Amino acid sequence: MKKLLLTGFVPFLEFPINPTEQIVKNLDEKIIGGYQVYGRILPVDFSESAAKCLEYLEQIQPDVVISLGLAAGRTKITPERIAINCKDGGPDNRGVQVQDEWIVEEGPAAYFSTLPVRRFVNVLNEKGYPAQISNTAGTYLCNNVMYSVLHKVQSENMPVKAGFVHLPASHELAIQKPTLPSWSQEDLQKAVMCMIEALD
């Protein structure tokens, strides 16, 4: 059976709940669309998050990596088209803040997702889950993880498809942050399952 590494993050910055954390815990060890899911939670830490994800990549040797992150304020599920070679943004959970740093010194400027992002969007919309391709994963930890995994996979010619999907806030988070648009946690999880089922 094919293996899928599914990652999410712990809460971060001003967001006390990260819906990706619960989704990854719930789907760990499940079989979805012909894939055995290996769910792993990443720290929000510039020095650790990508390293942990690469460690799981080596351990599990998956066929596909789907990393999930919270994009609070977005209204739709947004598969990311591209990751750029830049670390920037707010402080991580250790209080470390970086500006204008390379993720990989002398690495390519960017990598495109190798996930079927257009198919993801089409399938989600057909099933009633609003979705669109995003052309920026930002420069924070989500982009950092996406770029690092794609760099590893492509520079070592590994037969692994990889990419990143941002999710809106959950209702539970929006109760604490009332200005955020939100989805039910159940719908967020079902949407992730739809994307896994849409894989080859």
Side-chain angles (χ1 to χ4, degrees), residues 1-5 27 29-38 62-66 119 161 195-200:
M1 179 170 289
K2 291 182 178 179
K3 295 186 283 188
L4 184 142
L5 171 60
L27 298 185
E29 300 186 353
K30 297 282 192 296
I31 295 172
I32 303 169
Y35 285 84
Q36 172 76 54
V37 178
Y38 294 78
D63 300 279
V64 177
V65 180
I66 299 178
R119 191 187 316 154
K161 292 180 181 176
M195 288 185 283
I196 296 172
E197 289 166 353
L199 292 166
D200 293 329

Side-chain angles (χ1 to χ4, degrees), residues 4 10 15-19 30 45 48 53 57 64 66 77 82 92 107 112 122 125 137 151 167 174 191 194 198 200:
L4 184 142
V10 297
F15 306 114
I17 296 169
N18 191 330
K30 297 282 192 296
D45 183 320
E48 287 291 322
C53 198
L57 180 67
V64 177
I66 299 178
I77 302 259
I82 192 166
D92 66 15
F112 283 98
N122 291 343
N125 285 328
H151 179 74
L167 306 184
C194 284
D200 293 329

Side-chain angles (χ1 to χ4, degrees), residues 81-154:
R81 195 193 301 269
I82 192 166
I84 63 171
N85 191 4
C86 179
K87 286 191 282 191
D88 202 303
D92 66 15
N93 283 355
R94 290 190 305 126
V96 173
Q97 188 164 11
V98 295
Q99 286 187 317
D100 307 325
E101 290 188 11
W102 300 110
I103 296 171
V104 178
E105 285 280 355
E106 300 180 9
Y111 284 107
F112 283 98
S113 173
T114 52
L115 297 176
V117 292
R118 179 63 65 190
R119 191 187 316 154
F120 283 176
V121 166
N122 291 343
V123 166
L124 289 170
N125 285 328
E126 285 164 13
K127 292 183 179 292
Y129 298 113
Q132 67 183 38
I133 292 174
S134 165
N135 292 314
T136 174
T139 53
Y140 194 53
L141 273 298
C142 298
N143 176 76
N144 190 30
V145 164
M146 180 180 175
Y147 183 94
S148 299
V149 171
L150 287 166
H151 179 74
K152 171 86 169 173
V153 166
Q154 296 195 26

Side-chain angles (χ1 to χ4, degrees), residues 51-66:
K52 276 283 183 194
C53 198
L54 295 179
E55 189 179 306
Y56 297 138
L57 180 67
E58 291 282 357
Q59 287 173 358
I60 295 164
Q61 307 240 317
D63 300 279
V64 177
V65 180
I66 299 178

Side-chain angles (χ1 to χ4, degrees), residues 12 25 55 74 113 159 170 193 198:
F12 64 101
K25 286 178 180 176
E55 189 179 306
R74 290 190 187 178
S113 173
S170 61
M193 294 172 70

